[in-house]
Every structure is written in C-alpha cells, then in structure tokens.
Amino acid sequence: MSDAQHVQLNHTAVYASDRSRSAEFLAGILGLEVGAPFGPFLPVDLGNGVTLDYYEKRDEPIQGQHYAFLVPEERFDAMITRLEEAGVTYFADPSHTEPGRVNGLFGGRGAYFDDPDGHNMEIMTRPYVRP
C-alpha cells in the first residue's frame, strides 16, 4: 500500500464575494445542505468526508477556480433541472462553447456551469479515465 492511499482531502476553502449566496447556490444545485458557520467559513458537506468551506473575500476580485463533482447518475437530471430553473446556463465543455448541452465523457454524462463568482463548476456521472 503506497502512502498516497492514506491521504484524503478533508476540506478546501472556496473564495466568494458573498459566502452565503455562493454556498446556498451550490448546495441548491447539488441537492445538499449548507452547514452551520465555522469561524469565517460556511461549509457545504459533500457527503464523502469533504467539505467546501466558503470564505468571504470582499476586498479583492475572486480568482475563478474549477471544482468537479462526481454525482450519482440518478441525480444528474435533477441537477440540470435546478440549473435551468435558476436560469443558469450549463455547457458540455469546460470552455463554455456548447450551451444547453451535456457531454458523454467516459460513458457517463457531464456539464459545466459558473457559480455566482465565476468558479467553473462541473458535475459528472463517471470519473475521468486516467492513464
């Protein structure tokens, strides 16, 4: 067993201009709950031992990052519906050139969308196949 098998991501900070707005947005799309504030952080528990801890930064622009979520196939359509109901355009590709479409990567389905601060969020039903 390699040492890498003992390392797990526990949490990561996600910068937001309004931590409540951003955490509620993502939790709503994914069908999750926003947790209780923890110091300056507002967590979204992903259910696999990892939290996204939203941290408010109002004094400087937010640098967009990419976050990818492996989601159950049976919940994917509901997430797409919630994006449509929220008026959020989703795309089949990370460059956002194929609006209103989903991809079929690795035998699953996936889509990309921006959160309120421009983070490029991805939902996918199959993990990437890596060499």
Side-chain angles (χ1 to χ4, degrees):
M1 193 179 297
S2 76
D3 287 337
Q5 292 175 323
H6 297 285
V7 177
Q8 296 180 15
L9 180 65
N10 178 266
H11 68 275
T12 191
V14 179
Y15 295 130
S17 58
D18 180 328
R19 71 180 190 169
S20 293
R21 177 185 66 175
S22 292
E24 291 289 345
F25 169 81
L26 184 65
I29 298 301
L30 298 180
L32 302 173
E33 299 287 328
V34 175
F38 180 71
F41 303 105
L42 191 59
V44 174
D45 186 338
L46 300 178
N48 62 344
V50 178
T51 60
L52 296 183
D53 294 338
Y54 280 86
Y55 180 80
E56 201 160 290
K57 288 181 77 172
R58 292 183 179 241
D59 56 343
E60 58 188 88
I62 303 299
Q63 175 70 40
Q65 300 292 318
H66 174 64
Y67 298 91
F69 305 95
L70 183 60
V71 303
E73 176 68 43
E74 62 273 10
R75 294 181 58 197
F76 185 84
D77 289 331
M79 293 176 192
I80 293 295
T81 297
R82 288 192 286 269
L83 285 166
E84 291 170 344
E85 289 172 348
V88 176
T89 303
Y90 57 91
F91 302 83
D93 62 310
S95 299
H96 293 196
T97 63
E98 299 178 56
R101 297 184 54 208
V102 299
N103 65 53
L105 294 176
F106 308 108
R109 295 186 295 159
Y112 299 82
F113 59 96
D114 281 343
D115 86 338
D117 284 299
H119 294 300
N120 190 12
M121 303 299 196
E122 177 183 5
I123 53 175
M124 59 188 185
T125 63
R126 298 281 189 280
Y128 286 5
V129 176
R130 300 185 188 274

